[in-house]
Amino acid sequence: MKRVVLSLALVAVLGLSFTSCRDTKEKTEDKIDNAMDEAGDAIDEAGDAIDEAVDDAAESSSEAIDDVTEAASDAADSIEEGAESMSDDVNETISDAKKTGSDALENAKQTGSDAVDKAKEAGNTAVEDAKKAGTDAKTKAADKIKGL
């Protein structure tokens, strides 16, 4: 960038020196000095502008890196929160499944116990009925034997 400005200044100086050939030597030297001063000032301004642009680019790059770092951190936090939420949901589902299984086991035990009690009761009733039928048969047989 500095070379471009210097080249433009040199071309301007040369152009001025060729077009002002009629001027006296002092005027020409003054114009050359002025042109050189202006070219130097332009070069200084261009250098300052370049330095400013480099600083701005560095600052923008730094801000962009900070933004990307922050976004990555936010994404990691979001993923972690999602994983914790999923873990909580899974643990809750497991807890619900355990409770449901435990309830089903208790119901099965109760149903089994009720079935055993009913079977015992039916067995006892059958034994009692059989004993009564046996006693009745024995009494009828004894009555028949007496009647003969």
Side-chain angles (χ1 to χ4, degrees):
M1 185 74 176
K2 289 180 182 181
R3 289 182 183 175
V4 171
V5 173
L6 257 167
S7 297
L8 289 175
L10 184 59
V11 168
V13 169
L14 287 175
L16 288 174
S17 66
F18 286 138
T19 57
S20 61
C21 290
R22 295 183 192 134
D23 291 336
T24 60
K25 186 177 180 183
E26 278 182 24
K27 288 183 180 180
T28 304
E29 287 177 0
D30 286 342
K31 287 184 179 182
I32 290 173
D33 286 341
N34 287 340
M36 290 299 282
D37 288 342
E38 288 177 14
D41 290 344
I43 290 171
D44 288 342
E45 288 177 17
D48 291 343
I50 289 171
D51 288 342
E52 231 176 271
V54 168
D55 290 344
D56 288 347
E59 186 176 325
S60 294
S61 295
S62 177
E63 289 174 3
I65 289 171
D66 291 344
D67 289 347
V68 167
T69 302
E70 185 177 337
S73 177
D74 290 347
D77 291 345
S78 177
I79 289 170
E80 183 178 346
E81 288 173 8
E84 288 175 3
S85 176
M86 284 177 52
S87 175
D88 291 345
D89 290 347
V90 167
N91 287 337
E92 187 176 323
T93 302
I94 289 171
S95 177
D96 289 347
K98 283 181 180 179
K99 186 177 182 312
T100 301
S102 178
D103 290 347
L105 181 61
E106 285 300 317
N107 288 338
K109 283 181 181 178
Q110 185 62 41
T111 302
S113 178
D114 291 347
V116 167
D117 288 345
K118 286 182 182 179
K120 282 181 182 178
E121 187 179 319
N124 287 337
T125 302
V127 167
E128 288 298 319
D129 288 346
K131 281 182 183 179
K132 186 178 177 196
T135 303
D136 288 346
K138 182 179 170 185
T139 305
K140 282 184 182 181
D143 286 342
K144 277 189 177 187
I145 292 177
K146 282 184 190 179
L148 280 176

